[in-house]
Structure formats: C-alpha cells, structure tokens
Amino acid sequence: MKTVIHWFRRDLRVSDNVALAEAARRAENVIPVFIFEDAFRTGPDVGAARLAFLLQSVEALRKNLAELGHTLVVRCGKSEEILPALAQETGAQCVFANKRYEPYAPRRDERITGALLKIGVGFELFKDAVVWEEQEILTQAGKPYTVFTPYSKAWKARAMPPPKPRFKTSNIQHPTPNTQSDALPATPGECGHPLTQQIPAGGERAALELLRKFMARPVYEYGTSRNFPAVAGGSNLSPHLRAGTIGIRTVLAALKKARDKAAGAEAIKSCETFLNELIWREFYAQVLHNFPHVTKGAFRPEYDRLQWSDNQEHFAAWCAGRTGYPIVDAAMRCLNATGTMHNRLRMIVAMFLTKDLLINWQWGERYFMKQLVDGDLAANNGGWQWSAGTGTDAAPYFRIFNPVSQAEKFDAGGNFVRRWIPELKDFPDDLIQQPWENPLLLAKSKYAPRIVLHEEQRGKCLAMFKAVKG
Ligand SMILES: Cc1cc2nc3c(=O)[nH]c(=O)nc-3n(C[C@H](O)[C@H](O)[C@H](O)COP(=O)(O)OP(=O)(O)OC[C@H]3O[C@@H](n4cnc5c(N)ncnc54)[C@H](O)[C@@H]3O)c2cc1C
C-alpha cells in the first residue's frame, strides 16, 4: 500500500505497537493520527485525572514521533467524520488501528468501516492491548471462563508473543505530508474538568522507566510488598496499560527476563504473582466482552434484586473520606488527591461501601471511573463486582472485610493513614486505626466520628444478601 493512516487510540506509543508496526511493514507512507473525541469533553466517566494523563501522553507521543521525523496529526471531533475526510485529504488507502474491547467499540468501528467503505478506503483492526482475546481462551466446552484459576492455567499454557519492533523512520520511504492539525486542549480545565490532583506522569518514556525500575528489584518482593499501601510494592503501570503508553508484550518480555534471573523460590513466586495480576487484566477484559450485561448490573442476575441503601449522606462521606474509619478515609483522600489508589485499599473501600454502608456497587464503580487515572471499564467493573460479591469468581457475599483488622494487618503503625489524615497525627500507633477507642483525643482531633458501626452493618449486609439468596 502506498499510504496508510495509523489511528492512535488506547495505544499511545511507538514501540511494541501491533497496528503501527504492521502499517510500517505494509505501507510506503504512514500518517500517524490522534483524534480527540467529543466524548473526552462530555463523557460521564471521564474525569480530570485521566484526561490530564491522556493529554500528557499524546504530547509525549507527538515528541517521540517528531524525533523519528514524523508529524502527529491531531484532529478534534467525531472519528467517523474525521477519518474519511483525512483519508481523502491524504490519499490514504486504508486506516489501521488497534482493537478496543469495550462493549460500545464494535458498533463504533462498524460505523467507521461503513463510512470509509463508501469512499473506497479500508479499515483494519489488530489485536494489541491483550495477549489473548475474548474468544481465544475458552473452556473445553467452548464457553468463556468465569473462574480465574482455570483461565490463568489455560492462558499460561500458550506461547507468549514477543514485542513488536519499534516504529522507525527507515520504515517509511516518504515523509508525512504536511496535513493540518487542530490544537489539543492544553489542560483538562478547557474541557470543563478542573484538575486538582497530583497525578502520575504520562507518556511512553515514563512507562518504560517505571518498568525498568520495577523489574530491577521490586518484582522479586512483589508477592509480599504488594499488599502494603505505605510501601511502593506495585509496578504502578496501570495508567500506562490503560492508555497504551506501554505494550503488554514489552511488560511480559521484561518479566520473563527478570524471572530468568530470579534468585530463590520467593523471588520466582513473586514473578508468578505479578504475571497473575496481568492475567486478571485479560480475564476481566474477556468477561466484559463475553458478558456485556455486567456494565448494567450484577454478573449473577439474582443480585440485581438486592435492596441497597440510597443514603446520599453516607455516599458523600465515603467519597470525601469522612466515614470515621481511618483506612477508608485515607484511601479515598488519596484517590481524590492523586487519581490513584492501591489495590488493597480499593478492595477495602469497595467492601466498605457495599457491605458496611450497603450502597450499590455501581455508585462506587462510577465514582472510581471518574476519579481514577487508570479507570478501565473491565478491571473496574470486575473489581467492584468481586468486592460486592456479585461477580464472576467473586469474593463470596459473606466474606466481609473488617476495616480495622485489614488496616492493622496492612497498615500496622498507620504510616499510610498518617500521610492522608493529618487530624490523627497525635494518635499512638496502636489506636490510629480505631481512634474512637480514645473519645477525648478523637474529639480534640476534629476527625470525623464513625458514620456506621461495622459490627451492626455486617449483620444487616448478611440479611440483605440472604433475602435474595433464599
Ligand atoms: C474496586 C476495584 C476497582 C479497580 N479498578 C481498576 C481500574 O479501573 N483499572 C485498573 O487498571 N485496575 C483496577 N483495579 C485493579 C487493581 O487495583 C489495579 O490494577 C492496581 O491497583 C494498579 O496498580 P499497579 O499498576 O501497581 O498494579 P500491579 O500490582 O503492579 O499489577 C500489574 C498490572 O496488572 C493489572 N492488574 C493488577 N491487578 C488487577 C486486577 N485485580 N484486575 C485487573 N487488572 C489488574 C494492572 O494492569 C496492573 O497495572 C481495581 C480493583 C478493585 C478492587
């Protein structure tokens, strides 16, 4: 082919990018394009943190491409209108893109295929964001998996594909034509999302640097350290895997290298644990695709009959970090300030919302999507349904985290809580996770009193679930 448009979507990088590598292999001239969709401005799920991360990452992509001698064409509006117009303007024969897996994506891609076909332009999609897609790993009966362990075994039994080569100038024989670009909003504020958070750095370089640092040492301790919010035990790659500023094959190749060098059983086990987390990501992606009803309700439909509370005050207190439970409040304040939250804390606050405040998991799911830099429909929905006990392979409904014992186990001494709740600075280590045990000091501290009592709410929660289970 003479000219191909590569449309960047959730793949904002030049290395290990399947569609981009294919475009470079098959076309003489590749035109890199990013479309700033109207939905970024108005979508109910798009928050300032994710938007800022996206804007930073597009800017980084523009620089990376410029270093390779290419100009990123940026257009604002609707992709199904912009792509045909751009194809005509540039004489492109085909548009390449990497596949997206949200339930609405195929419908949009069909509309784009139709619009391009009308002018004789092709549209090709490639598997890139995941190693194995929704219909590639099925049970012996040919059905999608709904339990993680057998899914992960089947996943691991397959050979891993290597990373794709980096996009190079030498792949291209003709320079990109001088096609005009629209200006991107400089800040999320320009789209009506004021950014008040300190979010992680976007872009491919930042992602590769995180990967390098994580594989140098933390990966070998990951099995243990991943559970402690005050320790930087995780890879922090989730916003990058979400925006596609790093390729999954690159992460897996680095993990394999690290595993080959691992000294001792614990280090090897930690590498395995990290691999499992990456597989959870694909597990939930295939659940979302194969069971799209999860976006509207419980994976197990009987749980749509649960009589949740609609206590707006409790919900507002949870969102703002004013429930009176330090670990819950510290986690929510961290989310609100940084757009990030540690995995252990996500489970604690999600269980607290659903099983202590008895509020529908979908309220929490929506709030997370709006706040999180890594907000991903599949992983977020999966995490919420797991915590609420309504999902595939979920924690059983009678598994209810006690926020105090969780905090004493995973934030003993309260290092994480102290970072986010200055009101509690004078509390001793042994009381910081249950400040109500010293009422005088609590009153002096101005920290919120508990809005519910865990022991009472536990019984109510069990009754609520039993009512629908019969
Ligand atoms: C209620 C709830 C909501 C969640 N919402 C999201 C979300 O919107 N986006 C998101 O990426 N993750 C979500 N998770 C999963 C998990 O909390 C984050 O992926 C993790 O905290 C990111 O930190 P990390 O990059 O250091 O992860 P690491 O521990 O380093 O794990 C490596 C990668 O594996 C993937 N991963 C890890 N755990 C999970 C998991 N349980 N499910 C799916 N993928 C996983 C992520 O891509 C992550 O970057 C949610 C979990 C819960 C309980």
Side-chain angles (χ1 to χ4, degrees):
M1 273 183 278
K2 187 151 174 49
T3 303
V4 161
I5 290 175
H6 174 78
W7 176 24
F8 284 100
R9 311 200 283 187
R10 278 177 67 165
D11 58 334
L12 302 174
R13 63 184 189 280
V14 294
S15 48
D16 190 20
N17 183 324
V18 177
L20 186 63
E22 268 305 291
R25 195 176 69 78
R26 283 166 48 189
E28 286 176 28
N29 186 23
V30 179
I31 301 176
V33 173
F34 176 76
I35 300 175
F36 190 79
E37 305 268 354
D38 295 339
F40 293 139
R41 294 177 198 275
T42 53
D45 283 344
V46 184
R50 204 155 69 252
L51 191 55
F53 191 85
L54 176 91
L55 291 171
Q56 274 185 43
S57 299
V58 175
E59 192 44 41
L61 176 69
R62 192 205 302 270
K63 285 189 185 140
N64 284 346
L65 284 165
E67 280 170 18
L68 296 167
H70 294 276
T71 307
L72 178 67
V73 178
V74 174
R75 290 283 162 94
C76 299
K78 283 199 172 65
S79 41
E80 54 246 67
E81 290 165 10
I82 289 171
L83 288 169
L86 206 51
Q88 282 187 317
E89 213 178 293
T90 58
Q93 286 91 48
C94 200
V95 175
F96 282 14
N98 287 312
K99 220 171 132 182
R100 291 191 55 164
Y101 297 91
E102 298 90 340
Y104 57 77
R107 281 196 304 276
R108 187 180 64 166
D109 289 344
E110 267 169 36
R111 287 199 303 274
I112 290 167
T113 306
L116 288 169
L117 257 182
K118 271 194 205 147
I119 54 164
V121 174
F123 185 41
E124 279 193 47
L125 290 172
F126 298 84
K127 175 175 80 169
D128 171 81
V130 292
V131 180
W132 304 116
E133 287 181 334
E134 64 281 351
Q135 292 293 317
E136 288 185 302
I137 297 192
L138 298 171
T139 63
Q140 284 193 339
K143 299 239 158 62
Y145 280 96
T146 57
V147 178
F148 177 74
T149 307
Y151 173 82
S152 69
K153 274 196 192 134
W155 196 102
K156 286 177 196 169
R158 295 173 165 233
M160 215 87 84
K164 288 283 166 187
R166 189 176 159 82
F167 187 55
K168 286 194 214 112
T169 318
S170 58
N171 288 129
I172 311 298
Q173 288 167 12
H174 300 292
T176 308
N178 199 12
T179 313
Q180 257 194 329
S181 270
D182 295 336
L184 270 181
T187 63
E190 285 181 31
C191 308
H193 304 281
L195 182 69
T196 51
Q197 292 127 310
Q198 293 286 320
I199 62 157
E204 188 170 354
R205 283 211 177 109
L208 292 171
E209 183 56 14
L210 277 180
L211 181 69
R212 190 191 61 73
K213 280 195 180 140
F214 181 69
M215 292 301 169
R217 177 150 175 207
V219 69
Y220 299 121
E221 287 147 20
Y222 177 79
T224 321
S225 60
R226 65 191 283 259
N227 271 312
F228 299 93
V231 177
S235 67
N236 298 313
L237 283 171
S238 56
H240 294 283
L241 284 165
R242 202 263 173 223
T245 39
I246 197 158
I248 184 66
R249 293 155 301 276
T250 300
V251 178
L252 289 166
L255 177 61
K256 183 175 180 312
K257 236 174 159 179
R259 193 188 184 284
D260 290 346
K261 286 195 276 178
E266 274 309 301
I268 291 174
K269 211 167 137 210
S270 276
C271 292
E272 278 298 307
T273 308
F274 184 67
L275 176 61
N276 275 337
E277 296 310 313
L278 296 170
I279 300 175
W280 271 107
R281 175 176 166 269
E282 301 206 353
F283 175 72
Y284 283 139
Q286 64 89 31
V287 167
L288 178 66
H289 192 96
N290 290 314
F291 306 98
H293 72 274
V294 296
T295 59
K296 300 207 169 70
F299 172 76
R300 295 155 201 258
E302 74 263 29
Y303 288 134
D304 283 333
R305 299 200 310 270
L306 286 167
Q307 295 296 307
W308 300 104
S309 152
D310 55 5
N311 189 321
Q312 298 283 351
E313 277 177 30
H314 281 176
F315 183 61
W318 178 84
C319 293
R322 285 188 282 102
T323 67
Y325 284 85
I327 194 73
V328 173
D329 294 344
M332 295 305 293
R333 292 183 194 188
C334 170
L335 173 68
N336 295 335
T338 65
T340 65
M341 192 192 286
H342 188 277
N343 181 56
R344 170 65 45 186
L345 299 174
R346 294 189 206 208
M347 293 192 283
I348 294 174
V349 303
M351 283 245 185
F352 188 82
L353 185 78
T354 53
K355 295 184 173 169
D356 283 80
L357 300 182
L358 311 178
I359 289 176
N360 193 331
W361 58 270
Q362 290 169 303
W363 292 23
E365 182 195 22
R366 268 198 303 276
Y367 188 74
F368 264 34
M369 274 310 270
K370 193 101 194 161
Q371 298 297 321
L372 282 170
V373 181
D374 69 11
D376 171 83
L377 189 53
N380 194 41
N381 183 278
W384 273 97
Q385 296 228 32
W386 181 91
S387 308
T390 61
T392 53
D393 210 355
Y397 74 90
F398 47 81
R399 184 171 177 209
I400 299 176
F401 281 6
N402 178 324
V404 175
S405 41
Q406 283 287 312
E408 285 178 340
K409 193 162 171 199
F410 297 112
D411 189 37
N415 279 344
F416 182 79
V417 160
R418 268 179 230 287
R419 202 180 295 162
W420 293 101
I421 311 190
E423 303 98 290
L424 294 178
K425 67 179 183 337
D426 295 331
F427 274 82
D429 290 2
D430 61 337
L431 282 189
I432 193 154
Q433 304 294 0
Q434 38 188 336
W436 52 86
E437 293 294 338
N438 187 336
L440 279 181
L441 195 54
L442 179 63
K444 216 172 111 197
S445 75
K446 302 269 188 302
Y447 177 61
R450 282 178 292 177
I451 57 171
V452 291
L453 296 182
H454 172 72
E455 294 68 25
E456 274 179 28
Q457 298 303 103
R458 191 173 186 283
K460 288 187 200 166
C461 175
L462 292 174
M464 179 177 83
F465 272 88
K466 276 192 190 132
V468 301
K469 282 196 78 74

